[in-house]
Amino acid sequence: MRDLFSFLPEERVLVDREDLLLYSYDATPAKRYPLAVVRPKSKGEVVEIVKAASRHGLSLVARGAGTSLSGAPVPCEGCVVVDFTLMDRIIEVDEANAFVAVEPGVVYEELNRALAKRGLFFPPDPGSGSVCTLGGMVAMNSSGIRAVKYGTTRDYVASLEVVLASGEVLRLGGRYKKSASGYDLKSLFVGSEGTLGLFTEIGLHLVPKPGRRAAMTASFDSFEKAARAIASAVAARADVAVLEFMDSSVVKAVEGFSGMRLGSAEALVLAEVEGSGGEVEGEIRRLAEIFRGAGAEVELAFEEAEIAELWRARKAALPALARVAETLLLEDITVPVSALPQMMRRIGRLAEKHGVRIATFGHAGDGNLHPTFLISSEEELARARAAIEELFRECLTLGGTLSGEHGIGVEKRPYIELEHGAAVQVMREIKRALDPEGIFNPGKIF
Ligand SMILES: Cc1cc2nc3c(=O)[nH]c(=O)nc-3n(C[C@H](O)[C@H](O)[C@H](O)COP(=O)(O)OP(=O)(O)OC[C@H]3O[C@@H](n4cnc5c(N)ncnc54)[C@H](O)[C@@H]3O)c2cc1C
């Protein structure tokens, strides 16, 4: 295998089983060893890797930090993994245009630390932001707790440099704010899960970093009340930067994991308002009134350290749940916010009907819920699989989508036609047009 990639130094072509183990899985139970791992440091090397793979009939699976929750970077049969973590330069910060150009291996939080010095930031904020890469985020159209105010990665991708299966390099988009010129191919690559091309450079629009923030926790004695309160806050045009939900089992797991006391509520809502001045305090107090009116006990936080601690606790939800069951199946359904109370009720009914344990948390302000199935036996796994199919059908009936942020990968592949119907065939044709030999990440999405 080293001979095929002899243009790379030996230490950047991994073939030993011990090394390959690290590339054999993501954050799902899926696992498979690749034939080899190559670690490019430049666009030129990526082009050579693609040409070598094409010549020898090998498929390629791009990989950032491997934190995907859908199986997207898990190696397919007989593939070579392209590890982008050595392409980790911030190429240029263009303050005049609030734009940054990066290589795909740059880590989300490292980018924001560098941007903070210039009063700028890139907001999507996934829970895995301390480790996940920009290449992975663009490929998955990732987002997180701030999507309710700022949107998702797609909203910030200004330009992309992409190596196609032919070895040709496309440069798409630019640092301008708008364009009405031709098909929007750049957006097609966002969320393509490594199936259409390999990113070698990413340009992002940035926003000014807000100067002030305030946070709120609201405890409810039922999760339906919490869901209704969230829907009312959104309908009242609350200007929130974060609006998160946790049910009691998630709260307990997070308390055990983080040591933080969050209260003994059946449901907890966490919110943040941010801005540049006095409007922050006014808006958080207005939000607090909406939640008190809906039956919550509310606490406000204005100190930076206290707020940061709250978000650290919230982001610990998934690792915390991972300690209470052997396996987690984390879903990612998203419904219109007004349908949240119904969706929550249906999740409760599904848990009862199938005899499964479901802990739910999520970015409720944008309707994105993570019902997490806690599995400790084969029987529980089989029951959860049946409940998940029903969960997807219920979510689609309410006008929702299978994934708000984690993508399709292999986990949701069996269900994609439920949501997209005939459009799946159009997606397959696009894949064939761009990657006729099926080199890039075969078996993912479809
Ligand atoms: C604890 C935890 C919390 C999480 N929280 C969130 C969250 O809040 N929001 C969210 O959206 N996700 C979340 N995730 C999922 C995951 O972190 C995101 O999908 C993330 O963007 C993946 O980045 P990565 O660098 O790990 O990419 P990987 O997992 O390595 O890869 C993901 C996909 O990107 C492709 N890819 C990677 N690099 C390139 C490239 N250069 N060119 C083309 N394709 C490429 C891969 O082939 C694969 O299909 C979480 C995961 C964990 C473990």
Side-chain angles (χ1 to χ4, degrees), residues 223-224 228 340-350:
F223 66 73
E224 277 190 58
R228 275 200 299 275
L340 264 185
Q342 278 160 288
M343 194 65 241
M344 300 277 215
R345 262 197 306 278
R346 291 182 188 193
I347 292 171
R349 279 208 296 268
L350 282 177

Side-chain angles (χ1 to χ4, degrees), residues 27 61-69 72-73 84 104 125-128 132-133 135-137 139-140 142-144 193-194 197-199 318-319 363 405-406 441:
V61 179
R63 187 174 178 99
T67 63
S68 163
L69 287 163
F84 277 97
D125 204 3
S128 51
C132 75
T133 66
M137 286 184 68
M140 304 309 287
S142 297
S143 59
E193 303 193 12
L198 304 183
F199 312 141
L318 186 52
H363 317 301
E405 49 187 32
H406 301 159
N441 215 1

Side-chain angles (χ1 to χ4, degrees), residues 43-117:
K43 169 180 70 180
E45 289 182 353
V46 176
V47 170
E48 289 310 313
I49 289 166
V50 171
K51 287 184 175 166
S54 172
R55 264 195 311 275
H56 295 93
L58 289 170
S59 46
L60 296 174
V61 179
R63 187 174 178 99
T67 63
S68 163
L69 287 163
S70 68
V74 174
C76 46
E77 191 72 48
C79 76
V80 171
V81 166
V82 187
D83 168 5
F84 277 97
T85 55
L86 298 179
M87 289 181 69
D88 62 350
R89 275 183 323 130
I90 296 176
I91 299 165
E92 182 195 353
V93 183
D94 171 358
E95 288 188 53
N97 288 303
F99 169 91
V100 66
V102 296
E103 289 186 327
V106 170
V107 168
Y108 172 80
E109 281 188 8
E110 281 170 17
L111 173 64
N112 270 327
R113 267 195 292 278
L115 294 174
K117 293 177 198 144

Side-chain angles (χ1 to χ4, degrees), residues 98 201 262:
E201 190 180 315
L262 294 168

